[in-house]
Amino acid sequence: MCMTSDEVNYLVYRYLQESGFEHTAFVFNLESHTNSCNIDGTLVPPGALITLLQKGLQFVQAEVSLTEDGVISADTDSLSLIEAVIPDEYGISTKPLPNSLPKEEPQTTEEVGMTDDQPPDRTAPPPPPEKEVEERTVVVNQDNIRHFPHDKEVFSCVWNPVSDLLATGSGDSTIRIWDMRDTTREPIVLKHASSSGNDKLDITALDWSPNGEQLASGCLNGSTKIFRNTGELIHTFKIHGAPIFALKFNCKGQYLVTGGMTPSVVVIDLQAAAQVQDYKFNPGNRMEAAMDIHWQSDKTFAACSNNTIIYVCRVGLEKPVKCFKGHEREVNVLRWDNSGTYLATGSEDKTAKVWTLRSEECLHSLTGHTGSVEVVRWMPSKPKEQKFIFATASQDSTVRLWNAKSGECLQVYNRHTSAVLSICFSPCSGYIASGSVDRSFKIWAVKDGMLVNNYQGGGVISEVCWNGTGNKIAASSEDTNVIVIEISIEQQSTS
């Protein structure tokens, strides 16, 4: 029997398509590359995945129904799919069918060349730490941990840049603005759903204007809305007609750039409340989507796509001023440093790269991650003290710290057990927070790599962010909660 991951991914992709999950199927196709696998889809019948599951369920049902004398009894209750997957949890015993192959004995750690100290994950084990570090835990008083609920999973959270307002976006099709100066107050609830309430649309992107007076949101239905920080709706733009993945105000708050599941990036003039530029990137023979966007200056921004190219565009010019090529697979994320000197990018090809506008070639191609690079963030620094240090987070469950000038890896933070989806530096640059699929978010000391705090949540942590004063961290969770932890200066200090 032979089964490949490409075959499994293709059947899942077809199931999503056939079930009407168009957006989910599109994103799954981007991640799994089913469009490039060598499978003739015209030969695969509809419902193939369900057919295989039904046959597997029948086989497990036969194992459960087998009597001591080898006869299959007709009196056994029918199994559900979940009962067949974990029969022991339901008190169901199975017996091997006659002439069936014996179960393969699990390998010991000696057989696979592992030590007792190594994790049993054989898929993409994280690299060992570059130096042995002792875990140091900072105890956070439980009174300083608060949970703020949505009705469904929370995808994003972002702090207002000038006040202690926290905006959160959820699968319940609402944005909520929480005032952390008075946590007894009810949040401002901003609705993206229609008045009938029939539409449930995920909030996919959030960004505050630099002066903190406006909040922009992107939605799964392709709409962009601009709200005041007091909750009033200012503008609604329906430009893309497809899910929005990224939106960003420029540093003056005059322009908003948006991109998503279409081969174009749109610039909106907020004073005129009108679209002023639409960069249509040629999709060629592949689907193309804008995965991330970030401003370099008032009028210049970079956008990355799933066609491996990074585009640098300037408002007022029809064509990109630069096209960076070098990644071998989709580019997931990009960020300019505060000065606009360096652009850091992360890709499905497991590398991060550093670029400058002075050259078409990348300055450094950074290797070390063993999984897709999902997040890139720069360490905050003062204009006269630029250090040009940034961090990357990966599907390999690690966070790495890099020197952009030299390309040197400075630290590896590797206490997570699953993919890291979000990272954020503290305003003082001394700490970095990370959120993971393992349902935890952790706080690390940047200088020595020590783990100084760990919080175990109830769901996947999709985003973590530090407020402007550095005394609060927010995390969005799959379990419908936004977690906010207050941290005192004493708790943050390290000796």
Side-chain angles (χ1 to χ4, degrees):
M1 183 178 70
C2 178
M3 180 173 61
T4 68
S5 60
D6 281 345
E7 292 170 334
V8 174
N9 289 339
Y10 183 78
L11 292 180
V12 172
Y13 171 65
R14 281 286 297 269
Y15 167 76
L16 293 172
Q17 269 194 328
E18 293 164 5
S19 301
F21 300 114
E22 296 180 4
H23 298 147
T24 306
F26 179 89
V27 175
F28 183 79
N29 185 33
L30 296 182
E31 295 285 343
S32 60
H33 307 284
T34 53
N35 60 330
S36 60
C37 64
N38 189 25
I39 297 175
D40 187 353
T42 62
L43 302 179
V44 179
L49 180 63
I50 299 301
T51 300
L52 281 178
L53 289 174
Q54 289 173 334
K55 290 181 177 179
L57 185 59
Q58 290 172 348
F59 185 88
V60 177
Q61 182 75 51
E63 286 187 321
V64 171
S65 305
L66 195 65
T67 63
E68 296 295 335
D69 55 1
V71 178
I72 295 179
S73 171
D75 298 331
T76 309
D77 293 336
S78 296
L79 292 177
S80 70
L81 189 59
I82 298 300
E83 288 174 335
V85 173
I86 47 174
D88 293 342
E89 297 296 325
Y90 290 90
I92 300 171
S93 60
T94 61
K95 307 175 185 65
L97 293 176
N99 300 323
S100 63
L101 293 175
K103 292 184 179 179
E104 183 179 350
E105 292 296 325
Q107 289 179 298
T108 64
T109 55
E110 289 80 6
E111 290 174 327
V112 295
M114 294 173 59
T115 66
D116 291 337
D117 295 332
Q118 289 177 300
D121 180 10
R122 301 184 182 90
T123 56
E130 295 188 350
K131 63 177 182 179
E132 192 78 18
V133 295
E134 179 183 354
E135 180 174 340
R136 182 188 340 156
T137 302
V138 172
V139 178
V140 176
N141 191 310
Q142 292 299 314
D143 293 338
N144 292 337
I145 302 177
R146 294 183 174 89
H147 295 76
F148 302 91
H150 273 269
D151 295 330
K152 286 191 174 182
E153 62 268 39
V154 185
F155 297 118
S156 56
C157 58
V158 57
W159 289 97
N160 186 293
V162 298
S163 64
D164 239 9
L165 297 177
L166 177 68
T168 58
S170 166
D172 62 14
S173 73
T174 71
I175 304 156
R176 304 191 184 196
I177 300 177
W178 312 84
D179 190 343
M180 293 300 159
R181 297 164 297 189
D182 182 4
T183 56
T184 62
R185 296 176 58 181
E186 290 295 316
I188 300 172
V189 180
L190 313 175
K191 295 184 178 180
H192 258 272
S194 63
S195 58
S196 65
N198 293 326
D199 297 330
K200 291 298 182 183
L201 306 172
D202 297 348
I203 307 302
T204 52
L206 290 174
D207 194 37
W208 286 101
S209 63
N211 62 8
E213 295 179 359
Q214 297 181 358
L215 176 67
S217 63
C219 190
L220 197 65
N221 68 352
S223 67
T224 300
K225 294 192 176 186
I226 312 294
F227 299 91
R228 289 191 176 89
N229 59 14
T230 51
E232 296 86 1
L233 177 63
I234 304 173
H235 303 298
T236 298
F237 302 98
K238 296 182 179 180
I239 298 171
H240 291 282
I244 291 175
F245 292 156
L247 50 78
K248 291 288 180 185
F249 284 97
N250 72 339
C251 59
K252 289 186 177 179
Q254 176 187 358
Y255 297 118
L256 181 75
V257 62
T258 64
M261 201 184 290
T262 57
S264 67
V265 170
V266 174
V267 179
I268 300 170
D269 186 327
L270 296 174
Q271 294 178 352
Q275 171 185 325
V276 294
Q277 202 110 21
D278 185 356
Y279 297 94
K280 294 187 179 297
F281 305 135
N282 182 13
N285 295 323
R286 296 184 61 187
M287 290 181 293
E288 187 166 350
M291 308 302 291
D292 199 13
I293 304 167
H294 201 244
W295 289 92
Q296 185 252 4
S297 65
D298 288 340
K299 290 191 174 182
T300 302
F301 65 88
C304 60
S305 72
N306 65 313
N307 73 348
T308 75
I309 301 174
I310 300 127
Y311 303 94
V312 181
C313 304
R314 185 169 178 83
V315 178
L317 300 180
E318 293 184 2
K319 296 182 179 180
V321 296
K322 288 278 186 181
C323 291
F324 293 131
K325 300 179 182 180
H327 281 294
E328 297 178 358
R329 294 178 65 176
E330 290 91 334
V331 184
N332 296 322
V333 62
L334 52 77
R335 284 294 183 276
W336 292 97
D337 76 275
N338 290 344
S339 69
T341 304
Y342 297 108
L343 177 69
T345 59
S347 168
E348 293 276 341
D349 64 13
K350 306 177 185 179
T351 71
K353 295 184 187 295
V354 180
W355 315 79
T356 72
L357 291 176
R358 296 189 298 271
S359 174
E360 299 286 345
E361 302 296 325
C362 72
L363 181 65
H364 298 292
S365 183
L366 308 176
T367 60
H369 282 299
T370 58
S372 170
V373 179
E374 300 294 321
V375 193
V376 168
R377 292 293 183 271
W378 288 90
M379 176 189 290
S381 56
K382 297 178 182 179
K384 294 183 180 180
E385 301 175 1
Q386 290 286 352
K387 296 181 180 179
F388 300 112
I389 292 174
F390 70 97
T392 56
S394 170
Q395 289 279 351
D396 66 9
S397 79
T398 70
V399 177
R400 287 177 173 259
L401 192 70
W402 308 89
N403 184 311
K405 283 187 172 182
S406 66
E408 178 187 1
C409 181
L410 305 175
Q411 285 287 349
V412 180
Y413 312 93
N414 63 351
R415 298 295 185 91
H416 283 293
T417 58
S418 294
V420 183
L421 303 181
S422 180
I423 51 178
C424 183
F425 283 95
S426 64
C428 69
S429 304
Y431 302 89
I432 185 169
S434 57
S436 170
V437 175
D438 65 14
R439 302 184 177 188
S440 75
F441 72 85
K442 304 180 187 296
I443 302 172
W444 315 81
V446 169
K447 185 177 181 180
D448 56 18
M450 286 188 178
L451 179 66
V452 297
N453 187 258
N454 177 59
Y455 177 84
Q456 191 67 40
V460 171
I461 305 296
S462 57
E463 186 142 26
V464 292
C465 57
W466 232 294
N467 70 344
T469 57
N471 68 336
K472 295 184 184 74
I473 298 177
S476 56
S477 174
E478 186 186 37
D479 69 355
T480 76
N481 284 308
V482 182
I483 305 121
V484 178
I485 295 182
E486 289 191 41
I487 300 176
S488 68
I489 300 297
E490 290 76 21
Q491 288 170 336
Q492 286 188 348
S493 63
T494 58
S495 57

Coordinates of all heavy atoms in Angstrom, one line a residue, residues 114-169:
M114 N 17.6 8.5 18.8 CA 17.2 9.6 19.7 C 17.6 9.3 21.1 O 17.7 8.2 21.5 CB 15.7 9.8 19.6 CG 15.1 10.2 18.3 SD 13.4 10.3 18.3 CE 13.0 11.4 19.6
T115 N 17.8 10.4 21.8 CA 18.1 10.2 23.3 C 16.8 10.5 24.0 O 15.8 11.0 23.5 CB 19.1 11.2 23.7 OG1 18.6 12.6 23.6 CG2 20.4 11.1 22.9
D116 N 16.7 10.1 25.3 CA 15.5 10.3 26.1 C 15.1 11.7 26.2 O 14.0 12.1 26.5 CB 15.7 9.7 27.5 CG 15.8 8.2 27.4 OD1 15.3 7.6 26.4 OD2 16.4 7.5 28.3
D117 N 16.1 12.6 26.0 CA 15.8 14.1 26.2 C 15.2 14.7 25.0 O 14.7 15.8 25.0 CB 17.1 14.8 26.6 CG 17.7 14.4 27.9 OD1 16.9 14.0 28.7 OD2 18.9 14.4 28.1
Q118 N 15.2 14.0 23.9 CA 14.7 14.6 22.6 C 13.2 14.3 22.5 O 12.7 13.3 22.9 CB 15.4 14.0 21.4 CG 16.9 14.4 21.3 CD 17.5 13.8 20.2 OE1 17.6 12.5 20.1 NE2 18.0 14.5 19.2
P119 N 12.5 15.3 21.9 CA 11.0 15.1 21.7 C 10.8 14.0 20.6 O 11.6 13.8 19.7 CB 10.6 16.5 21.2 CG 11.8 17.1 20.6 CD 12.9 16.6 21.4
P120 N 9.6 13.4 20.7 CA 9.3 12.3 19.8 C 8.8 12.8 18.4 O 8.4 12.0 17.6 CB 8.2 11.5 20.5 CG 7.5 12.5 21.3 CD 8.6 13.5 21.7
D121 N 8.8 14.0 18.1 CA 8.3 14.6 16.9 C 9.4 14.3 15.8 O 10.5 14.9 15.8 CB 8.1 16.1 17.0 CG 7.6 16.7 15.7 OD1 7.2 15.9 14.8 OD2 7.5 17.9 15.7
R122 N 9.0 13.4 14.8 CA 10.0 13.1 13.8 C 9.7 13.8 12.5 O 10.4 13.6 11.5 CB 9.9 11.6 13.5 CG 10.2 10.7 14.7 CD 10.2 9.2 14.3 NE 10.5 8.4 15.5 CZ 9.6 7.9 16.3 NH1 8.3 8.2 16.1 NH2 9.9 7.2 17.3
T123 N 8.7 14.7 12.4 CA 8.3 15.4 11.2 C 9.3 16.5 10.9 O 9.8 16.6 9.8 CB 6.9 15.9 11.3 OG1 6.8 16.7 12.4 CG2 5.9 14.7 11.4
A124 N 9.4 17.4 11.8 CA 10.3 18.6 11.6 C 10.9 19.0 12.9 O 10.5 20.0 13.5 CB 9.6 19.7 10.9
P125 N 11.8 18.2 13.5 CA 12.2 18.5 14.9 C 13.0 19.9 14.8 O 13.8 20.1 13.9 CB 13.2 17.4 15.2 CG 13.6 16.8 13.9 CD 12.4 17.0 13.0
P126 N 12.8 20.7 15.8 CA 13.5 22.0 15.9 C 14.9 21.8 16.1 O 15.3 20.8 16.8 CB 12.8 22.7 17.0 CG 12.3 21.6 17.9 CD 11.9 20.5 17.0
P127 N 15.8 22.6 15.6 CA 17.2 22.5 15.8 C 17.5 22.7 17.3 O 16.8 23.4 18.0 CB 17.8 23.6 15.0 CG 16.7 24.6 14.8 CD 15.5 23.8 14.8
P128 N 18.6 22.1 17.8 CA 18.9 22.2 19.2 C 19.3 23.7 19.5 O 19.7 24.4 18.6 CB 20.2 21.3 19.4 CG 20.8 21.2 18.0 CD 19.6 21.3 17.0
P129 N 19.2 24.1 20.7 CA 19.5 25.5 21.1 C 21.0 25.7 20.9 O 21.8 24.8 21.0 CB 19.2 25.6 22.6 CG 19.1 24.2 23.1 CD 18.7 23.3 21.9
E130 N 21.4 26.9 20.5 CA 22.8 27.2 20.3 C 23.6 27.2 21.6 O 24.8 27.1 21.5 CB 22.9 28.5 19.5 CG 22.2 28.5 18.2 CD 22.5 29.7 17.3 OE1 23.0 30.7 17.9 OE2 22.2 29.7 16.2
K131 N 22.9 27.4 22.7 CA 23.6 27.3 24.0 C 22.6 26.8 25.0 O 21.4 27.1 24.9 CB 24.3 28.6 24.3 CG 23.3 29.7 24.6 CD 24.1 30.9 25.0 CE 23.2 32.1 25.3 NZ 23.9 33.3 25.8
E132 N 23.1 26.2 26.0 CA 22.2 25.7 27.1 C 21.8 26.9 27.9 O 22.6 27.7 28.4 CB 23.0 24.7 28.0 CG 22.1 24.0 29.0 CD 21.4 22.8 28.3 OE1 21.8 22.4 27.2 OE2 20.4 22.4 28.9
V133 N 20.4 27.0 28.1 CA 19.9 28.1 28.9 C 19.0 27.6 30.0 O 18.3 26.6 29.8 CB 19.1 29.2 28.1 CG1 20.0 29.8 27.1 CG2 17.9 28.5 27.4
E134 N 19.1 28.2 31.1 CA 18.2 27.8 32.3 C 16.9 28.5 32.3 O 16.9 29.7 32.1 CB 19.0 28.1 33.6 CG 18.2 27.7 34.8 CD 19.0 28.0 36.1 OE1 20.1 28.5 36.0 OE2 18.4 27.9 37.2
E135 N 15.8 27.8 32.4 CA 14.5 28.4 32.3 C 14.3 29.2 33.6 O 14.5 28.8 34.7 CB 13.4 27.4 32.2 CG 12.0 28.0 32.2 CD 10.9 26.9 32.0 OE1 11.3 25.9 31.4 OE2 9.8 27.2 32.3
R136 N 13.8 30.5 33.4 CA 13.5 31.3 34.6 C 12.1 31.7 34.4 O 11.7 32.2 33.4 CB 14.4 32.6 34.6 CG 14.2 33.5 35.7 CD 14.9 34.8 35.6 NE 16.1 34.8 34.7 CZ 16.5 35.9 34.2 NH1 15.9 37.0 34.4 NH2 17.5 35.8 33.4
T137 N 11.3 31.5 35.4 CA 9.8 31.8 35.4 C 9.5 33.0 36.2 O 9.9 33.1 37.4 CB 9.0 30.6 35.9 OG1 9.3 29.5 35.1 CG2 7.5 30.9 35.7
V138 N 8.7 33.9 35.6 CA 8.2 35.1 36.3 C 6.8 34.8 36.7 O 6.0 34.5 35.8 CB 8.3 36.3 35.5 CG1 7.6 37.5 36.2 CG2 9.8 36.7 35.2
V139 N 6.4 34.8 37.9 CA 5.1 34.5 38.4 C 4.2 35.7 38.2 O 4.5 36.8 38.7 CB 5.1 34.0 39.8 CG1 3.6 33.7 40.3 CG2 5.9 32.8 40.0
V140 N 3.1 35.5 37.4 CA 2.2 36.6 37.2 C 1.0 36.3 38.1 O 0.4 35.3 38.1 CB 1.7 36.6 35.7 CG1 0.6 37.7 35.5 CG2 2.9 36.9 34.8
N141 N 0.6 37.3 38.9 CA -0.5 37.2 39.8 C -1.8 36.9 39.0 O -2.0 37.6 38.0 CB -0.7 38.5 40.6 CG -1.7 38.4 41.7 OD1 -2.8 37.9 41.5 ND2 -1.3 38.8 42.9
Q142 N -2.6 35.9 39.4 CA -3.8 35.6 38.6 C -4.8 36.7 38.5 O -5.6 36.8 37.6 CB -4.5 34.4 39.3 CG -3.7 33.1 39.2 CD -3.5 32.6 37.8 OE1 -4.4 32.7 37.0 NE2 -2.3 32.3 37.5
D143 N -4.7 37.7 39.5 CA -5.6 38.9 39.4 C -5.2 39.7 38.2 O -6.0 40.6 37.8 CB -5.5 39.7 40.7 CG -6.1 38.9 41.9 OD1 -6.9 38.0 41.6 OD2 -5.7 39.2 43.0
N144 N -4.0 39.6 37.7 CA -3.6 40.4 36.5 C -3.8 39.7 35.2 O -3.3 40.2 34.2 CB -2.1 40.7 36.7 CG -1.8 41.6 37.8 OD1 -2.7 42.4 38.3 ND2 -0.6 41.6 38.4
I145 N -4.5 38.6 35.2 CA -4.8 37.9 33.9 C -6.3 38.0 33.7 O -7.1 37.6 34.6 CB -4.4 36.4 34.0 CG1 -2.9 36.3 34.2 CG2 -4.8 35.7 32.7 CD1 -2.4 34.8 34.4
R146 N -6.7 38.6 32.6 CA -8.1 38.8 32.3 C -8.5 38.2 31.0 O -7.7 38.2 30.0 CB -8.5 40.3 32.4 CG -8.4 40.9 33.7 CD -8.8 42.4 33.7 NE -8.8 43.0 35.0 CZ -7.8 43.6 35.6 NH1 -6.6 43.6 34.9 NH2 -7.8 44.1 36.8
H147 N -9.7 37.7 30.9 CA -10.2 37.1 29.6 C -11.4 37.9 29.2 O -12.4 38.2 29.9 CB -10.7 35.6 29.8 CG -9.6 34.7 30.2 ND1 -9.0 34.7 31.4 CD2 -8.9 33.8 29.4 CE1 -8.0 33.8 31.4 NE2 -7.9 33.2 30.2
F148 N -11.4 38.3 27.9 CA -12.4 39.1 27.3 C -13.1 38.3 26.1 O -12.4 38.0 25.2 CB -11.9 40.5 26.8 CG -11.2 41.3 27.9 CD1 -9.9 41.2 28.2 CD2 -12.0 42.1 28.7 CE1 -9.3 41.9 29.2 CE2 -11.4 42.9 29.7 CZ -10.1 42.7 30.0
P149 N -14.3 38.0 26.2 CA -14.9 37.0 25.3 C -15.5 37.6 24.0 O -16.1 38.7 24.0 CB -16.0 36.4 26.1 CG -16.5 37.5 27.0 CD -15.3 38.3 27.3
H150 N -15.3 36.8 22.9 CA -16.1 36.9 21.7 C -17.1 35.7 21.7 O -17.0 34.9 22.6 CB -15.2 36.9 20.5 CG -14.7 38.3 20.1 ND1 -15.3 39.1 19.2 CD2 -13.6 39.0 20.5 CE1 -14.6 40.2 19.0 NE2 -13.6 40.2 19.8
D151 N -17.9 35.7 20.6 CA -18.8 34.5 20.5 C -18.1 33.4 19.7 O -18.6 32.2 19.7 CB -20.1 34.9 19.8 CG -20.9 35.9 20.6 OD1 -20.8 35.9 21.8 OD2 -21.6 36.8 20.0
K152 N -17.1 33.7 18.9 CA -16.3 32.7 18.2 C -14.8 32.9 18.3 O -14.4 33.9 19.1 CB -16.7 32.7 16.7 CG -18.1 32.0 16.5 CD -18.3 31.8 15.0 CE -19.6 31.1 14.7 NZ -19.8 30.8 13.3
E153 N -14.0 32.1 17.7 CA -12.6 32.3 17.8 C -12.1 33.7 17.4 O -12.7 34.3 16.6 CB -11.9 31.2 16.9 CG -12.1 31.3 15.4 CD -13.3 30.5 14.9 OE1 -14.3 30.4 15.7 OE2 -13.2 30.0 13.8
V154 N -11.1 34.1 18.1 CA -10.5 35.4 17.9 C -9.3 35.3 17.0 O -8.3 34.6 17.4 CB -10.2 36.1 19.2 CG1 -9.7 37.6 19.0 CG2 -11.4 36.1 20.1
F155 N -9.2 36.0 15.9 CA -8.1 35.9 15.0 C -7.1 37.0 15.1 O -5.9 36.8 14.8 CB -8.7 36.0 13.5 CG -9.6 34.9 13.2 CD1 -10.9 35.1 12.8 CD2 -9.2 33.6 13.2 CE1 -11.8 34.1 12.4 CE2 -10.0 32.5 12.8 CZ -11.3 32.8 12.5
S156 N -7.5 38.2 15.6 CA -6.5 39.3 15.6 C -6.8 40.2 16.8 O -7.9 40.3 17.3 CB -6.6 40.1 14.3 OG -7.9 40.5 14.1
C157 N -5.7 40.9 17.2 CA -5.8 41.9 18.3 C -4.7 42.9 18.0 O -3.6 42.6 17.6 CB -5.7 41.3 19.7 SG -4.2 40.3 20.0
V158 N -5.0 44.2 18.2 CA -4.1 45.2 18.0 C -4.4 46.4 18.9 O -5.5 46.8 19.1 CB -4.1 45.7 16.5 CG1 -5.5 46.2 16.1 CG2 -3.1 46.8 16.2
W159 N -3.3 46.9 19.6 CA -3.4 48.0 20.5 C -3.4 49.3 19.8 O -2.7 49.5 18.8 CB -2.2 48.0 21.5 CG -2.2 46.9 22.5 CD1 -1.5 45.7 22.4 CD2 -2.9 46.9 23.7 NE1 -1.8 44.9 23.5 CE2 -2.6 45.6 24.3 CE3 -3.8 47.7 24.4 CZ2 -3.1 45.2 25.6 CZ3 -4.3 47.4 25.6 CH2 -4.0 46.1 26.2
N160 N -4.3 50.3 20.3 CA -4.2 51.6 19.8 C -2.9 52.2 20.1 O -2.3 52.1 21.2 CB -5.3 52.4 20.5 CG -5.5 53.8 20.0 OD1 -4.6 54.7 20.1 ND2 -6.7 54.1 19.4
P161 N -2.2 53.0 19.2 CA -0.9 53.5 19.4 C -0.7 54.6 20.4 O 0.4 54.9 20.8 CB -0.5 53.9 18.0 CG -1.7 54.2 17.3 CD -2.7 53.3 17.8
V162 N -1.9 55.2 20.8 CA -1.8 56.4 21.7 C -2.6 56.2 23.0 O -2.5 57.1 23.8 CB -2.2 57.7 21.0 CG1 -1.3 58.0 19.8 CG2 -3.6 57.6 20.5
S163 N -3.4 55.2 23.1 CA -4.2 55.0 24.3 C -4.3 53.5 24.6 O -3.9 52.7 23.8 CB -5.5 55.6 24.2 OG -6.3 55.0 23.2
D164 N -4.8 53.2 25.7 CA -5.0 51.8 26.1 C -6.3 51.2 25.6 O -7.0 50.6 26.4 CB -4.9 51.7 27.7 CG -3.7 50.8 28.1 OD1 -2.9 50.4 27.2 OD2 -3.6 50.4 29.3
L165 N -6.5 51.3 24.3 CA -7.7 50.7 23.7 C -7.2 49.5 22.9 O -6.2 49.6 22.2 CB -8.4 51.6 22.7 CG -9.0 52.9 23.3 CD1 -9.6 53.8 22.2 CD2 -10.1 52.5 24.3
L166 N -7.9 48.4 23.1 CA -7.5 47.1 22.4 C -8.6 46.7 21.4 O -9.8 46.6 21.8 CB -7.3 46.0 23.4 CG -6.9 44.6 22.8 CD1 -5.6 44.6 22.1 CD2 -7.0 43.5 23.9
A167 N -8.3 46.6 20.1 CA -9.3 46.2 19.1 C -9.0 44.7 18.8 O -7.9 44.2 18.7 CB -9.1 47.0 17.8
T168 N -10.1 43.9 18.8 CA -10.0 42.5 18.5 C -11.0 42.1 17.4 O -12.1 42.7 17.3 CB -10.3 41.7 19.7 OG1 -11.7 42.0 20.2 CG2 -9.3 42.0 20.8
G169 N -10.6 41.2 16.5 CA -11.5 40.7 15.4 C -11.7 39.2 15.5 O -10.8 38.5 15.9

